[in-house]
Amino acid sequence: MASSNAPEIVMTGPLMAYAADQLKERFVVHELWKAADRDALLREIADRVRGVAAGGGHNRVDAALFDALPKLEIVSSFGVGYDHVDAAEAGRRGLIVTNTPDVLTDEVADLAIGLLLATVRQLPQVDRYLREGKWLKGAYPLTTSLRKRSVGIVGLGRIGKAVAHRLEAFGLPVAYHGRSRQADVAYRYYPSLIDMAADVDTLISVAPGGASTHHIINAEVLKALGPNGILVNVGRGTVVDEAALIKALQDKTILSAGLDVFEDEPRVPADLIAMDHVVLLPHVGSASVHTREQMGQLLVDNLVSWFEGKGPKTPVPETPVRDR
Ligand code: A2R
């Protein structure tokens, strides 16, 4: 238990015990999602709360919450993606927003490669085949292959580069699309996503969510990817026009997809679930004990560092870094 004069913070939703227990030792914690009357709790604590710990993507942290907490200084968010936090608005108000980058990069990149292999070699389907006793009647049909594939990465950031390094080890050519060419990167750059999709047969999306990436992988991009095309998405579901993807899969405009993220999580369209030729994961990119503990620690460390007057450890680019 924190002392009664410890800084007061709000948790917007549940966090893993590893992080929540540390927060409760250091801060007076108000658990917003548990309040019977959320607005009444916010009114009661408005003059005292200086921090927010934001877990996961479902509880929005936006102008309404900032208005309700006029003494707020910092929002420490769990995960590298922070599209559930209105960071631009926070920046306008001089508030700090932090996320948990880097500590999950390798884990998500590993998952991306696993999902790519699972999709190309149909690993979940093959597993089901064996369990259903079908091997006794004959071999599983031959699958497509990673051999001869070329990959376009949408969003060559920290995770995208870690995916690209792994693909190099697999002997696959890599290209990338982003808003700008990266001077220190030898992979082929495409300013146009549709041009890249036309030149490769495998797209891996590791781009963040938000307005600038909304539905950039659309019907035209999928058509350009073509009938041998495979889409892997480990970034954000909103980057892909899910309805267009479903149609492209149904019409065989592309071959298959491996998806760890969806537009309206945890709801996954029945049309996708009904398809046997896609691989669907429940947003588990960073979901190992090791990596989730590192992320939780960084969420805690950002708040501790801030309230010790040492500044935020990993502020997002939209927010000003300011000393207390
Ligand atoms: O556009 P650039 O050159 O700033 O490259 C960034 C790219 N990106 C975009 N690409 C295309 N269109 C856009 N509108 C756009 N906005 C950003 O995404 C950059 O290469 C990449 C993001 O890289 P990082 O900021 O290093 O993020 P990290 O750690 O790789 O994580 C990526 C995403 C997270 O935001 C979560 O949504 C997910 O993976 O876990």
Side-chain angles (χ1 to χ4, degrees):
M1 277 287 283
S3 69
S4 57
N5 59 359
E8 298 197 25
I9 67 167
V10 156
M11 271 170 66
T12 57
L15 279 171
M16 60 194 303
Y18 184 86
D21 290 349
Q22 291 191 56
L23 292 177
K24 286 171 189 169
E25 273 169 30
R26 298 212 176 234
F27 305 105
V28 176
V29 176
H30 303 282
E31 297 177 319
L32 198 53
W33 78 102
K34 288 186 180 169
D37 186 340
R38 184 179 184 275
D39 291 339
L41 173 63
L42 283 171
R43 275 195 302 277
E44 183 197 323
I45 61 180
D47 285 341
R48 306 197 304 270
V49 168
R50 296 163 60 200
V52 164
H58 304 307
N59 296 294
R60 282 203 60 76
V61 177
D62 55 15
L65 189 64
F66 303 150
D67 285 342
L69 298 173
K71 300 284 166 59
L72 188 63
E73 299 168 22
I74 180 170
V75 176
S76 181
S77 181
F78 188 81
V80 64
Y82 51 94
D83 33 314
H84 54 288
V85 179
D86 190 343
E89 178 59 22
R92 281 192 285 277
R93 295 174 185 230
L95 303 174
I96 303 297
V97 176
T98 62
N99 63 344
T100 64
D102 299 314
V103 293
L104 48 57
T105 294
D106 285 327
E107 202 74 80
V108 179
D110 290 351
L111 194 279
I113 297 296
L115 184 51
L116 172 64
L117 277 167
T119 307
V120 171
R121 298 297 306 276
Q122 304 175 7
L123 299 184
Q125 298 92 324
V126 174
D127 177 277
R128 293 199 284 273
Y129 185 88
L130 181 151
R131 289 170 198 272
E132 288 163 7
K134 293 179 178 166
W135 192 14
L136 295 166
K137 293 171 199 140
Y140 189 84
L142 302 184
T143 69
T144 186
S145 174
L146 213 52
R147 303 300 102 220
K148 306 277 188 211
R149 282 197 172 267
S150 62
V151 180
I153 295 182
V154 184
L156 193 76
R158 290 166 291 233
I159 300 170
K161 288 193 180 80
V163 171
H165 288 150
R166 284 157 175 75
L167 292 171
E168 283 189 79
F170 280 78
L172 302 184
V174 173
Y176 71 103
H177 164 72
R179 291 165 302 182
S180 47
R181 181 192 298 274
Q182 301 185 40
D184 54 346
V185 163
Y187 310 123
R188 181 167 179 192
Y189 172 63
Y190 285 86
S192 154
L193 175 52
I194 200 157
D195 288 350
M196 182 170 82
D199 281 0
V200 302
D201 52 25
T202 308
L203 275 187
I204 301 183
S205 179
V206 208
S212 80
T213 57
H214 187 259
H215 286 190
I216 59 174
I217 299 180
N218 56 22
E220 291 73 39
V221 169
L222 295 170
K223 186 160 187 289
L225 190 60
N228 194 32
I230 288 181
L231 170 69
V232 169
N233 189 5
V234 295
R236 277 292 180 268
T238 52
V239 174
V240 177
D241 180 341
E242 213 164 62
L245 173 62
I246 289 167
K247 185 153 190 336
L249 287 162
Q250 286 168 338
D251 296 350
K252 303 198 175 349
T253 306
I254 67 167
L255 186 65
S256 183
L259 307 172
D260 186 42
V261 289
F262 301 87
E263 279 203 63
D264 184 26
E265 296 174 10
R267 283 160 290 276
V268 175
D271 282 340
L272 278 177
I273 290 174
M275 288 180 205
D276 196 47
H277 70 303
V278 296
V279 179
L280 309 174
L281 305 181
H283 201 153
V284 292
S286 66
S288 68
V289 173
H290 169 86
T291 293
R292 286 288 169 86
E293 286 186 354
Q294 303 243 325
M295 294 161 64
Q297 191 64 55
L298 190 48
L299 174 142
V300 173
D301 290 349
N302 267 299
L303 288 168
V304 170
S305 176
W306 176 254
F307 287 113
E308 284 179 349
K310 297 176 186 161
K313 290 177 78 77
T314 49
V316 304
E318 290 92 331
T319 65
V321 180
R322 64 185 169 106
D323 295 325
R324 289 182 58 205

